[in-house]
Amino acid sequence: MATPAQAPPPPSQQPPLAHDQAPNPPETSSATSSPDLPPTDLFADPPDFYPASPPAKTTTYTTLTGATITLHLVGYSPLEAHHLWNGARVVADYFQSDPSLVQDKTVLELGAGAGLPSLVAAALGAKRVVVTDFPDPELIEVMWKNVKGCELIPGVGKDGEVDEERLNIVVEGYVWGSHPERVLQHLEEHDKQKGFDVLVLADLLFRHSEHGNMLKTVRTTLRRQRGSRAYVVFTSYRPWLQHKDLAFFDLAREQGFVVEKVLERKMERPLFEQDPGDEEVRKTVTGWTLRWPDEECEDAA
Protein backbone atom coordinates (compact mmCIF):
# COMPACT_ATOMS: atom_id res chain seq x y z
CA MET A 1 0.00 0.00 0.00
CA ALA A 2 1.33 3.40 -0.91
CA THR A 3 1.99 5.69 2.02
CA PRO A 4 0.14 9.02 1.73
CA ALA A 5 2.24 12.14 1.31
CA GLN A 6 2.87 14.01 4.53
CA ALA A 7 0.88 17.17 5.06
CA PRO A 8 0.75 19.48 8.07
CA PRO A 9 -2.47 19.15 10.10
CA PRO A 10 -4.96 21.91 9.29
CA PRO A 11 -5.33 24.56 11.98
CA SER A 12 -8.70 23.14 13.00
CA GLN A 13 -7.06 19.82 13.90
CA GLN A 14 -4.34 21.27 16.09
CA PRO A 15 -4.87 19.67 19.52
CA PRO A 16 -5.90 21.70 22.53
CA LEU A 17 -4.01 19.42 24.90
CA ALA A 18 -0.37 20.07 25.76
CA HIS A 19 0.81 17.44 28.24
CA ASP A 20 4.28 16.91 26.85
CA GLN A 21 4.56 18.75 23.59
CA ALA A 22 8.05 19.63 22.46
CA PRO A 23 8.69 23.35 21.92
CA ASN A 24 9.07 24.71 18.43
CA PRO A 25 12.27 26.70 17.91
CA PRO A 26 11.75 30.30 16.80
CA GLU A 27 12.80 31.46 13.37
CA THR A 28 16.23 33.07 13.27
CA SER A 29 17.48 36.14 11.48
CA SER A 30 20.87 36.21 9.81
CA ALA A 31 23.17 39.09 10.68
CA THR A 32 24.82 41.09 7.94
CA SER A 33 28.09 39.40 7.01
CA SER A 34 31.37 41.27 7.01
CA PRO A 35 34.07 40.43 4.45
CA ASP A 36 36.55 40.21 7.36
CA LEU A 37 34.46 37.92 9.56
CA PRO A 38 32.98 34.47 9.03
CA PRO A 39 29.21 34.35 8.47
CA THR A 40 27.31 34.23 11.75
CA ASP A 41 23.80 34.41 13.13
CA LEU A 42 23.54 36.67 16.14
CA PHE A 43 20.20 35.16 17.12
CA ALA A 44 21.10 31.49 16.67
CA ASP A 45 20.64 29.25 19.68
CA PRO A 46 23.61 27.26 20.91
CA PRO A 47 23.83 23.56 20.05
CA ASP A 48 21.56 21.32 22.13
CA PHE A 49 19.55 24.34 23.31
CA TYR A 50 16.32 22.52 22.39
CA PRO A 51 15.76 18.96 23.60
CA ALA A 52 15.74 16.23 21.00
CA SER A 53 12.38 14.72 20.08
CA PRO A 54 11.66 11.79 22.38
CA PRO A 55 12.29 8.36 20.86
CA ALA A 56 9.52 6.00 19.85
CA LYS A 57 8.22 3.87 22.68
CA THR A 58 6.18 0.75 23.35
CA THR A 59 3.45 -0.20 25.77
CA THR A 60 1.40 -3.33 26.28
CA TYR A 61 -2.21 -4.34 26.54
CA THR A 62 -3.43 -7.60 28.08
CA THR A 63 -6.51 -9.16 26.53
CA LEU A 64 -9.30 -10.64 28.62
CA THR A 65 -7.89 -14.10 27.81
CA GLY A 66 -4.42 -13.15 29.09
CA ALA A 67 -2.66 -12.61 25.76
CA THR A 68 -0.28 -9.66 25.48
CA ILE A 69 -0.35 -7.18 22.61
CA THR A 70 2.74 -4.99 22.26
CA LEU A 71 1.95 -1.56 20.87
CA HIS A 72 4.42 0.83 19.31
CA LEU A 73 3.81 4.55 19.74
CA VAL A 74 5.45 7.49 18.03
CA GLY A 75 7.84 9.31 20.34
CA TYR A 76 5.94 12.56 20.01
CA SER A 77 2.98 13.67 17.92
CA PRO A 78 1.25 17.07 17.79
CA LEU A 79 -1.89 14.99 17.21
CA GLU A 80 -1.46 13.31 20.64
CA ALA A 81 -0.89 9.90 19.01
CA HIS A 82 2.01 9.19 21.38
CA HIS A 83 -0.39 8.06 24.11
CA LEU A 84 -2.40 4.87 24.51
CA TRP A 85 -5.64 6.49 25.57
CA ASN A 86 -7.97 4.94 28.13
CA GLY A 87 -10.81 5.05 25.62
CA ALA A 88 -8.92 2.66 23.34
CA ARG A 89 -8.38 0.20 26.19
CA VAL A 90 -12.05 0.33 27.19
CA VAL A 91 -13.31 -0.19 23.62
CA ALA A 92 -10.96 -3.16 23.23
CA ASP A 93 -12.34 -4.69 26.45
CA TYR A 94 -15.91 -3.96 25.38
CA PHE A 95 -15.53 -5.78 22.06
CA GLN A 96 -13.99 -8.78 23.81
CA SER A 97 -16.88 -8.94 26.27
CA ASP A 98 -19.22 -9.45 23.28
CA PRO A 99 -17.29 -10.51 20.14
CA SER A 100 -20.51 -10.50 18.10
CA LEU A 101 -20.25 -6.70 18.04
CA VAL A 102 -17.46 -7.02 15.45
CA GLN A 103 -17.38 -10.63 14.21
CA ASP A 104 -18.00 -10.87 10.46
CA LYS A 105 -18.52 -7.09 10.33
CA THR A 106 -16.70 -4.26 8.61
CA VAL A 107 -14.98 -1.87 11.04
CA LEU A 108 -13.55 1.64 10.60
CA GLU A 109 -11.53 3.34 13.35
CA LEU A 110 -10.94 7.10 13.23
CA GLY A 111 -8.00 8.85 14.91
CA ALA A 112 -6.63 5.44 15.88
CA GLY A 113 -3.09 6.26 17.07
CA ALA A 114 -1.76 2.84 18.06
CA GLY A 115 -4.94 1.23 16.72
CA LEU A 116 -5.68 -1.07 19.67
CA PRO A 117 -9.48 -1.40 19.11
CA SER A 118 -8.81 -2.23 15.45
CA LEU A 119 -6.26 -4.90 16.34
CA VAL A 120 -8.71 -6.49 18.76
CA ALA A 121 -11.58 -6.33 16.25
CA ALA A 122 -9.40 -8.03 13.63
CA ALA A 123 -8.33 -10.70 16.13
CA LEU A 124 -11.99 -11.34 17.04
CA GLY A 125 -12.84 -12.16 13.45
CA ALA A 126 -14.06 -8.93 11.86
CA LYS A 127 -14.72 -9.24 8.15
CA ARG A 128 -12.59 -6.19 7.33
CA VAL A 129 -10.95 -3.55 9.52
CA VAL A 130 -9.68 -0.19 8.26
CA VAL A 131 -7.58 1.57 10.89
CA THR A 132 -6.98 5.26 10.17
CA ASP A 133 -5.33 8.37 11.49
CA PHE A 134 -3.98 11.61 10.03
CA PRO A 135 -1.79 10.80 7.00
CA ASP A 136 1.56 11.39 8.66
CA PRO A 137 4.13 8.89 7.32
CA GLU A 138 5.63 8.10 10.73
CA LEU A 139 2.22 7.51 12.25
CA ILE A 140 1.10 5.29 9.36
CA GLU A 141 4.33 3.29 9.68
CA VAL A 142 3.75 2.76 13.41
CA MET A 143 0.19 1.54 12.83
CA TRP A 144 1.42 -0.97 10.25
CA LYS A 145 4.11 -2.07 12.69
CA ASN A 146 1.44 -2.79 15.28
CA VAL A 147 -0.61 -4.77 12.77
CA LYS A 148 2.34 -6.88 11.66
CA GLY A 149 3.40 -7.46 15.25
CA CYS A 150 0.05 -8.80 16.45
CA GLU A 151 0.04 -12.56 15.95
CA LEU A 152 -3.55 -12.73 17.19
CA ILE A 153 -4.66 -11.33 13.83
CA PRO A 154 -5.42 -13.87 11.09
CA GLY A 155 -2.63 -13.89 8.52
CA VAL A 156 0.05 -12.46 10.85
CA GLY A 157 2.83 -14.90 11.68
CA LYS A 158 6.03 -14.76 13.65
CA ASP A 159 8.59 -12.06 12.90
CA GLY A 160 5.97 -9.98 11.12
CA GLU A 161 5.36 -12.43 8.31
CA VAL A 162 2.03 -11.58 6.68
CA ASP A 163 -0.27 -13.72 4.56
CA GLU A 164 -2.04 -11.05 2.52
CA GLU A 165 -4.79 -13.46 1.52
CA ARG A 166 -5.82 -13.99 5.15
CA LEU A 167 -5.12 -10.53 6.54
CA ASN A 168 -8.38 -8.79 7.46
CA ILE A 169 -6.98 -5.37 8.43
CA VAL A 170 -5.45 -2.47 6.51
CA VAL A 171 -3.95 0.89 7.53
CA GLU A 172 -4.93 4.12 5.79
CA GLY A 173 -4.30 7.84 6.24
CA TYR A 174 -7.52 9.81 6.52
CA VAL A 175 -8.58 13.33 7.51
CA TRP A 176 -11.95 13.64 9.22
CA GLY A 177 -14.62 15.12 7.01
CA SER A 178 -12.81 14.42 3.75
CA HIS A 179 -14.21 12.28 0.94
CA PRO A 180 -14.85 8.75 2.23
CA GLU A 181 -13.59 7.02 -0.92
CA ARG A 182 -10.16 6.70 0.66
CA VAL A 183 -11.49 4.32 3.31
CA LEU A 184 -14.39 2.77 1.39
CA GLN A 185 -11.98 1.53 -1.29
CA HIS A 186 -10.78 -1.16 1.12
CA LEU A 187 -14.20 -2.83 1.27
CA GLU A 188 -15.48 -5.50 -1.06
CA GLU A 189 -17.19 -4.15 -4.16
CA HIS A 190 -20.75 -4.75 -2.92
CA ASP A 191 -19.97 -2.99 0.40
CA LYS A 192 -18.36 0.16 -1.02
CA GLN A 193 -21.64 1.94 -1.62
CA LYS A 194 -23.10 0.87 1.73
CA GLY A 195 -20.33 1.65 4.22
CA PHE A 196 -19.11 0.11 7.47
CA ASP A 197 -21.08 -1.83 10.06
CA VAL A 198 -19.01 -0.49 12.97
CA LEU A 199 -17.18 2.79 13.54
CA VAL A 200 -14.84 3.49 16.47
CA LEU A 201 -14.09 6.98 17.82
CA ALA A 202 -11.98 6.55 20.96
CA ASP A 203 -10.97 9.65 22.94
CA LEU A 204 -11.47 12.15 20.14
CA LEU A 205 -14.10 14.48 21.59
CA PHE A 206 -11.62 16.87 23.21
CA ARG A 207 -11.09 18.24 19.68
CA HIS A 208 -14.20 20.40 19.90
CA SER A 209 -13.65 22.23 16.62
CA GLU A 210 -13.63 18.90 14.79
CA HIS A 211 -16.99 17.57 15.99
CA GLY A 212 -18.64 18.58 12.74
CA ASN A 213 -16.03 16.81 10.61
CA MET A 214 -16.21 13.68 12.75
CA LEU A 215 -19.97 13.53 12.28
CA LYS A 216 -19.63 14.21 8.57
CA THR A 217 -17.44 11.10 8.34
CA VAL A 218 -19.93 9.10 10.41
CA ARG A 219 -22.73 10.15 8.04
CA THR A 220 -20.79 9.16 4.94
CA THR A 221 -19.31 5.88 6.18
CA LEU A 222 -21.80 4.27 8.61
CA ARG A 223 -23.95 1.69 6.86
CA ARG A 224 -27.69 2.45 6.99
CA GLN A 225 -28.76 -0.73 8.70
CA ARG A 226 -30.42 -1.24 12.05
CA GLY A 227 -27.43 -3.12 13.45
CA SER A 228 -24.82 -0.54 12.45
CA ARG A 229 -23.21 1.42 15.28
CA ALA A 230 -20.63 4.15 15.81
CA TYR A 231 -18.98 3.63 19.21
CA VAL A 232 -17.89 6.91 20.77
CA VAL A 233 -15.86 6.34 23.95
CA PHE A 234 -14.13 9.14 25.83
CA THR A 235 -12.97 10.78 29.04
CA SER A 236 -13.36 14.46 29.83
CA TYR A 237 -9.67 15.05 30.49
CA ARG A 238 -10.41 18.73 31.14
CA PRO A 239 -13.45 18.54 33.44
CA TRP A 240 -14.18 22.25 33.18
CA LEU A 241 -14.82 21.70 29.45
CA GLN A 242 -16.94 18.57 29.81
CA HIS A 243 -19.98 20.42 28.46
CA LYS A 244 -18.08 21.00 25.22
CA ASP A 245 -17.20 17.31 24.96
CA LEU A 246 -20.86 16.38 25.44
CA ALA A 247 -21.93 18.94 22.83
CA PHE A 248 -20.86 16.33 20.25
CA PHE A 249 -23.95 14.29 21.11
CA ASP A 250 -26.24 17.33 20.89
CA LEU A 251 -24.93 17.92 17.40
CA ALA A 252 -25.35 14.23 16.54
CA ARG A 253 -29.01 14.36 17.63
CA GLU A 254 -29.56 17.51 15.59
CA GLN A 255 -28.26 15.61 12.56
CA GLY A 256 -30.77 12.83 13.11
CA PHE A 257 -28.74 10.16 14.89
CA VAL A 258 -30.12 8.13 17.76
CA VAL A 259 -27.70 8.46 20.72
CA GLU A 260 -27.48 5.94 23.54
CA LYS A 261 -25.10 5.62 26.49
CA VAL A 262 -23.91 2.01 26.74
CA LEU A 263 -21.09 1.94 29.29
CA GLU A 264 -19.31 3.74 32.11
CA ARG A 265 -16.06 2.62 33.69
CA LYS A 266 -13.93 4.13 36.42
CA MET A 267 -10.19 3.65 35.86
CA GLU A 268 -7.80 3.17 38.78
CA ARG A 269 -6.18 6.53 38.15
CA PRO A 270 -6.32 9.36 35.60
CA LEU A 271 -4.31 8.96 32.43
CA PHE A 272 -2.57 12.29 33.12
CA GLU A 273 -2.18 12.23 36.87
CA GLN A 274 -0.64 15.71 37.22
CA ASP A 275 -3.35 17.49 35.25
CA PRO A 276 -5.77 19.83 37.05
CA GLY A 277 -9.49 19.29 37.51
CA ASP A 278 -11.80 16.84 39.27
CA GLU A 279 -9.93 13.54 39.52
CA GLU A 280 -13.11 11.44 39.51
CA VAL A 281 -14.15 12.95 36.18
CA ARG A 282 -10.67 12.40 34.76
CA LYS A 283 -10.79 8.73 35.77
CA THR A 284 -14.21 8.08 34.23
CA VAL A 285 -14.62 6.62 30.73
CA THR A 286 -18.08 6.62 29.16
CA GLY A 287 -19.20 4.91 25.98
CA TRP A 288 -22.00 5.92 23.64
CA THR A 289 -23.43 4.66 20.37
CA LEU A 290 -24.77 6.53 17.36
CA ARG A 291 -27.16 4.75 15.03
CA TRP A 292 -29.55 5.59 12.24
CA PRO A 293 -33.27 5.88 13.06
CA ASP A 294 -35.09 2.71 12.05
CA GLU A 295 -37.06 4.52 9.35
CA GLU A 296 -33.81 5.53 7.60
CA CYS A 297 -32.37 2.00 7.52
CA GLU A 298 -32.25 -0.07 4.35
CA ASP A 299 -33.45 -3.14 6.23
CA ALA A 300 -36.33 -1.38 8.00
CA ALA A 301 -39.43 -3.56 8.23
Side-chain angles (χ1 to χ4, degrees):
M1 182 194 73
T3 300
Q6 183 176 8
S12 62
Q13 287 194 214
Q14 293 292 340
L17 299 183
H19 306 285
D20 50 5
Q21 293 187 5
N24 294 319
E27 294 183 357
T28 58
S29 301
S30 296
T32 304
S33 298
S34 165
D36 299 322
L37 297 173
T40 185
D41 187 344
L42 295 178
F43 301 100
D45 296 311
D48 302 323
F49 182 80
Y50 292 98
S53 296
K57 54 188 177 182
T58 61
T59 189
T60 59
Y61 167 81
T62 303
T63 70
L64 299 186
T65 60
T68 299
I69 298 176
T70 298
L71 296 160
H72 299 270
L73 301 167
V74 293
Y76 166 75
S77 168
L79 301 175
E80 299 281 350
H82 51 302
H83 303 294
L84 179 59
W85 296 82
N86 284 338
R89 292 182 180 273
V90 171
V91 175
D93 289 350
Y94 189 69
F95 287 164
Q96 290 171 86
S97 68
D98 184 0
S100 67
L101 296 173
V102 293
Q103 279 178 343
D104 300 316
K105 296 182 179 181
T106 54
V107 179
L108 170 66
E109 183 176 2
L110 304 178
L116 176 60
S118 291
L119 301 180
V120 169
L124 290 173
K127 179 181 179 182
R128 187 64 161 170
V129 180
V130 181
V131 51
T132 73
D133 209 316
F134 189 82
D136 172 78
E138 183 182 6
L139 185 51
I140 298 300
E141 180 182 353
V142 164
M143 289 194 293
W144 267 121
K145 192 172 185 178
N146 288 335
V147 168
K148 295 177 179 179
C150 184
E151 295 180 24
L152 301 177
I153 296 175
V156 176
K158 295 181 178 179
D159 300 322
E161 297 176 359
V162 173
D163 181 348
E164 298 289 349
E165 295 297 321
R166 297 181 58 212
L167 194 66
N168 62 347
I169 182 170
V170 65
V171 174
E172 184 61 86
Y174 180 72
V175 176
W176 307 327
S178 62
H179 197 283
E181 181 180 3
R182 188 160 195 155
V183 293
L184 293 172
Q185 67 175 329
H186 297 292
L187 297 179
E188 293 181 359
E189 198 61 39
H190 64 276
D191 287 330
K192 288 182 180 179
Q193 300 302 318
K194 297 180 179 180
F196 293 85
D197 302 310
V198 175
L199 268 63
V200 177
L201 294 79
D203 271 329
L204 304 183
L205 297 194
F206 68 87
R207 302 182 186 282
H208 304 140
S209 65
E210 286 299 304
H211 287 181
N213 282 330
M214 293 176 201
L215 284 168
K216 181 178 179 181
T217 294
V218 175
R219 291 194 65 84
T220 56
T221 60
L222 183 64
R223 188 169 188 159
R224 289 180 181 262
Q225 288 200 340
R226 286 178 294 179
S228 300
R229 295 289 186 274
Y231 293 92
V232 184
V233 181
F234 77 104
T235 292
S236 288
Y237 293 101
R238 296 167 297 171
W240 60 94
L241 294 179
Q242 187 177 51
H243 64 288
K244 290 193 174 183
D245 299 336
L246 293 171
F248 173 88
F249 301 107
D250 295 331
L251 184 58
R253 293 184 184 97
E254 290 174 10
Q255 295 190 13
F257 288 106
V258 178
V259 178
E260 180 183 3
K261 185 177 179 181
V262 295
L263 69 90
E264 181 170 321
R265 176 174 163 186
K266 189 70 65 70
M267 310 302 283
E268 291 184 6
R269 56 184 179 274
L271 181 61
F272 306 110
E273 296 188 60
Q274 303 305 316
D275 278 8
D278 188 319
E279 182 174 298
E280 293 304 303
V281 174
R282 293 187 292 116
K283 291 194 312 187
T284 303
V285 181
T286 59
W288 308 67
T289 59
L290 308 185
R291 65 174 177 86
W292 298 108
D294 287 347
E295 60 270 20
E296 293 188 28
C297 294
E298 299 169 352
D299 58 347

